[in-house]
């Protein structure tokens, strides 16, 4: 998706609107071809643009570029890419494709991969936004085959020069297939600048088979992973598409290490103009009925829900992660009999970090690097970066109400803490639990060598608990400011700690 958007974005960066006339002309095609050829480093045979009625056909063949990669480092091939571009006459362009993509990557004696998929997409690219107003893409029969080899022996351990090199040892083989993936995207001007984008995605028919070889002559371990599908959505506010695409264009125009080092002040300007990259980004996804076949039997997970949020390089930094698992199944005989009755069936963890500054350290990194030096970031002082990242000395860490739930028992927990390097954490946490009699009975019935320590810890914790309104066990944990000892239900739990 990003690669397709990036190709069209290169046109938006350049003043070529006059060339995109309707109907398409040979002159317009030549001008467009020149624009794209510039961005692909002037290599012959990479770009071809031809007028076809009211549209242009853009064909990009990466082969001449990839042929420049030294074969002893990697051998990469990608099928030619074809797009249709149509002028809508209002500053936007229709972009479509219907093609089979294939690729292969070989890193000699380390890694091999082949892949293929069919892609059909349509969208409207907006020159003013430098983004798609809307786009829908469907990928079918997405297949990847990979082989991983053991690392080569260290220098001095190779075979004698007169002996042919031994065949590389295969470590693993992997096959992945997704029957269908669909992505829909919309874009609009951001209220505070940049572009606001919303995305939804689905996938169907997931399967993976992996074979791990346990050394020469060893029996391979095989794993079969399947899921009927997943779906999700994503949002990004204030994406600085203009700055990011200008940065991409700068790197295309400076393809070598020498050119980059010689023009690093220009790179500094481009990086600063692209900040903060975006204001806020979030994504959520749900994976259904995951099954993992293994030599021990089949493991399962009925539902896996994941939510991730991340601010851009802004002064009000934020990170959010939430994971919810349910319907855990384990093959019979894998767990000791005493564990099976208390195996958790649902687990949630909802974590947020805030109160840190990403803009200030990003500015310091951009202004302070020197790519011509042996240590590009030697001029930066770690203590100053840390102070910029945590201007108050601490970050706010919040655990929203989360829980572990099994058959007949439930443990709930939440916390709100301020913590940082060299500072004692302050704040509070609350844990409550019901049904611990069942957990304790299971631990007591287990062989002592397997459960004596967790049983002792559980009994100590229950001895410190206080009863809740509904009879649950409660642990109210307080971490006071000023270096005092933390307490559990009012009882000090250690010596006082001093703040620096």
């Amino acid at each position: 998706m990003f690669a397709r958007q990036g190709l069209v974005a290169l046109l938006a960066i350049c003043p070529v609107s006059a060339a995109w006339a309707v109907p398409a002309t040979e002159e317009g095609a030549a001008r467009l071809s020149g624009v794209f050829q510039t961005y692909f480093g002037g290599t012959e045979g990479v770009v071809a643009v031809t007028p076809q009625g009211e549209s242009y056909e853009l064909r990009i063949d990466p082969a001449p570029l990839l042929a420049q990669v030294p074969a002893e480092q990697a051998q990469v091939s990608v099928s030619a890419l074809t797009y249709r571009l149509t002028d809508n006459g209002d500053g936007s362009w229709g972009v479509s494709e219907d093609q089979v993509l294939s690729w292969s990557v070989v890193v000699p004696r380390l890694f091999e991969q082949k892949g293929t998929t069919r892609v059909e997409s349509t969208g409207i690219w907006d020159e003013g936004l430098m983004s798609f107003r809307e786009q829908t893409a469907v990928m079918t029969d997405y297949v990847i085959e990979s082989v991983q080899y053991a690392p080569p022996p260290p220098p001095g351990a190779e075979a004698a020069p007169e002996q042919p090199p031994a065949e590389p040892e295969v470590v693993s083989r992997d096959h992945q297939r997704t029957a269908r993936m669909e992505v829909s995207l919309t874009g609009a001007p951001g209220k505070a600048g940049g572009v606001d984008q919303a995305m939804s995605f689905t996938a169907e028919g997931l399967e993976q088979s992996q074979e791990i070889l346990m050394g020469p002559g060893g029996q391979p371990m095989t794993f079969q992973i399947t899921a009927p599908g997943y779906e999700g959505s994503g949002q990004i506010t204030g994406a600085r598409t203009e700055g990011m695409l200008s940065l991409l264009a700068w790197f295309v125009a400076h393809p070598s290490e020498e050119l980059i080092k010689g023009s690093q002040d220009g790179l500094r300007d481009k990086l600063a103009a692209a900040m903060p990259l975006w204001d806020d980004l979030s994504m959520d996804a749900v994976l259904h009925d995951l099954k993992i076949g293994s030599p021990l039997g089949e493991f399962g997970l009925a539902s896996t829900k994941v939510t991730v949020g991340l601010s851009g390089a802004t002064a009000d930094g934020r990170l959010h992660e939430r994971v919810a698992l349910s319907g855990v199944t384990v093959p019979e005989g894998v767990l000791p009999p005493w564990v099976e009755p208390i195996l958790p069936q649902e687990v949630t963890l909802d974590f947020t970090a805030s109160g840190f500054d990403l803009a200030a350290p990003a500015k310091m990194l951009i202004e302070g690097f020197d790519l011509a030096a042996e240590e590009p970031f030697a001029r930066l002082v770690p203590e100053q970066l840390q102070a910029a990242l945590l201007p108050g000395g601490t970050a706010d860490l919040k655990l929203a109400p989360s829980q572990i739930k099994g058959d007949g028992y439930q443990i709930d927990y939440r916390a709100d803490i301020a913590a940082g390097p060299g500072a004692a954490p302050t704040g509070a946490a609350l844990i409550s639990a019901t049904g611990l009699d069942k957990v304790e009975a299971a631990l007591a019935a287990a062989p002592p060598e397997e459960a004596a320590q967790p049983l002792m810890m559980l009994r100590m914790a229950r001895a410190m608990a206080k009863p809740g309104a509904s009879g649950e066990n409660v642990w109210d944990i307080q971490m006071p400011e000023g270096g005092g000892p933390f307490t559990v239900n009012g009882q000090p739990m250690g010596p006082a700690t001093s703040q620096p």
Side-chain angles (χ1 to χ4, degrees):
M1 180 67 68
F2 176 79
R4 295 195 297 274
Q5 182 163 326
L7 290 170
V8 181
L10 293 178
L11 287 176
I13 296 171
C14 307
V16 297
S17 295
W20 288 10
V22 177
T25 64
E26 293 289 347
E27 293 79 7
R31 195 173 301 181
L32 289 176
S33 181
V35 169
F36 276 103
Q37 197 68 54
T38 298
Y39 276 89
F40 283 96
T43 303
E44 292 291 335
V46 177
V47 175
V49 181
T50 56
Q52 295 187 353
E54 295 186 351
S55 301
Y56 292 97
E57 181 184 87
L58 167 65
R59 187 175 189 274
I60 299 175
D61 185 359
L65 285 174
L66 297 174
Q68 300 176 20
V69 179
E72 64 274 12
Q73 295 181 9
Q75 298 139 36
V76 184
S77 66
V78 180
S79 61
L81 312 173
T82 303
Y83 304 88
R84 184 171 297 277
L85 311 176
T86 305
D87 186 357
N88 293 329
D90 61 354
S92 70
W93 291 84
V95 183
S96 63
E97 64 177 310
D98 183 354
Q99 58 188 322
V100 175
L101 304 182
S102 61
W103 65 93
S104 70
V105 179
V106 176
V107 179
R109 305 182 69 83
L110 283 177
F111 178 75
E112 296 177 7
Q113 184 183 94
K114 293 182 179 180
T116 183
T117 185
R118 183 177 190 86
V119 183
E120 300 175 70
S121 76
T122 58
I124 299 176
W125 175 266
D126 189 311
E127 290 184 43
L129 287 179
M130 291 194 178
S131 172
F132 279 100
R133 293 182 189 171
E134 58 185 62
Q135 186 186 40
T136 299
V138 177
M139 304 174 71
T140 52
D141 202 24
Y142 182 91
V143 178
I144 297 178
E145 307 277 357
S146 303
V147 180
Q148 183 77 44
Y149 297 99
E158 296 90 346
E162 64 273 8
Q163 296 180 347
E167 288 295 319
E169 178 188 343
V170 176
V171 174
S172 66
R173 295 186 176 91
D174 187 82
H175 164 87
Q176 299 180 42
R177 179 179 182 271
T178 302
R180 175 186 170 89
M181 290 186 285
E182 182 170 351
V183 180
S184 295
L185 174 73
T186 61
K191 295 179 180 179
V195 181
D196 293 347
Q197 295 176 329
M199 176 180 64
S200 62
F201 52 89
T202 62
E204 302 172 2
L206 312 179
E207 61 182 54
Q208 179 179 2
S209 59
Q210 187 175 55
E211 182 180 66
I212 300 175
L213 282 76
M214 309 302 291
Q219 291 296 318
M221 294 179 61
T222 59
F223 297 87
Q224 300 288 335
I225 303 172
T226 62
Y230 62 83
E231 70 272 348
S233 62
Q235 295 80 36
I236 182 169
T237 60
R240 303 312 196 264
T241 54
E242 181 176 2
M244 288 188 281
L245 294 175
S246 294
L247 182 61
L248 170 65
W250 188 91
F251 276 108
V252 173
H254 298 77
S256 70
E257 182 178 345
E258 292 74 17
L259 288 173
I260 292 174
K261 289 180 177 179
S263 304
Q264 61 178 326
D265 286 339
L267 173 59
R268 218 182 304 277
D269 293 340
K270 292 296 183 182
L271 286 168
M275 293 295 114
L277 302 179
W278 64 82
D279 294 330
D280 194 64
L281 178 152
S282 62
M283 186 194 74
D284 62 85
V286 182
L287 175 65
H288 303 283
D289 197 20
L290 175 68
K291 296 186 184 301
I292 304 174
S294 76
L296 299 176
E298 184 177 271
F299 296 80
L301 200 53
S303 175
T304 305
K305 299 180 181 180
V306 179
T307 300
V308 177
L310 178 65
S311 66
T314 62
D316 54 342
R318 184 185 72 92
L319 169 66
H320 175 226
E321 295 185 9
R322 185 179 190 276
V323 179
L325 311 176
S326 64
V328 180
T329 57
V330 177
E332 185 177 354
V334 170
L335 298 175
W338 63 269
V339 174
E340 294 180 4
I342 58 174
L343 180 69
Q345 291 300 304
E346 298 180 18
V347 178
T348 60
L349 179 67
D350 193 334
F351 170 80
T352 301
S354 60
F356 55 90
D357 186 340
L358 293 177
K363 185 173 185 293
M364 294 172 65
L365 288 168
I366 292 171
E367 294 177 350
F369 71 75
D370 181 4
L371 301 180
E374 184 175 349
E375 295 291 339
F377 297 101
R379 293 187 299 187
L380 296 169
V381 180
E383 292 78 11
Q384 293 177 349
L385 280 172
Q386 179 178 300
L389 176 66
L390 299 173
T394 62
D396 298 323
L397 310 177
K398 183 175 182 179
L399 191 62
S402 305
Q403 69 178 206
I404 299 172
K405 187 176 181 180
D407 184 12
Y409 72 92
Q410 181 171 314
I411 303 172
D412 295 272
Y413 44 96
R414 63 179 186 266
D416 198 343
I417 300 170
T426 62
L430 186 68
I431 304 172
S432 63
T434 60
L436 291 184
D437 287 342
K438 180 175 182 178
V439 178
E440 184 172 340
L443 293 173
E449 64 273 13
E450 296 181 16
Q453 185 172 2
L455 176 61
M456 179 185 65
M457 295 175 64
L458 176 60
R459 286 174 171 169
M460 290 176 60
R462 296 191 71 182
M464 291 187 293
K466 67 179 181 180
S470 301
E472 70 273 21
N473 293 127
V474 176
W475 298 267
D476 183 356
I477 304 170
Q478 298 291 326
M479 291 158 275
E481 296 183 5
F486 80 92
T487 63
V488 178
N489 294 333
Q491 296 298 315
M493 298 304 296
T497 56
S498 59
Q499 299 280 7

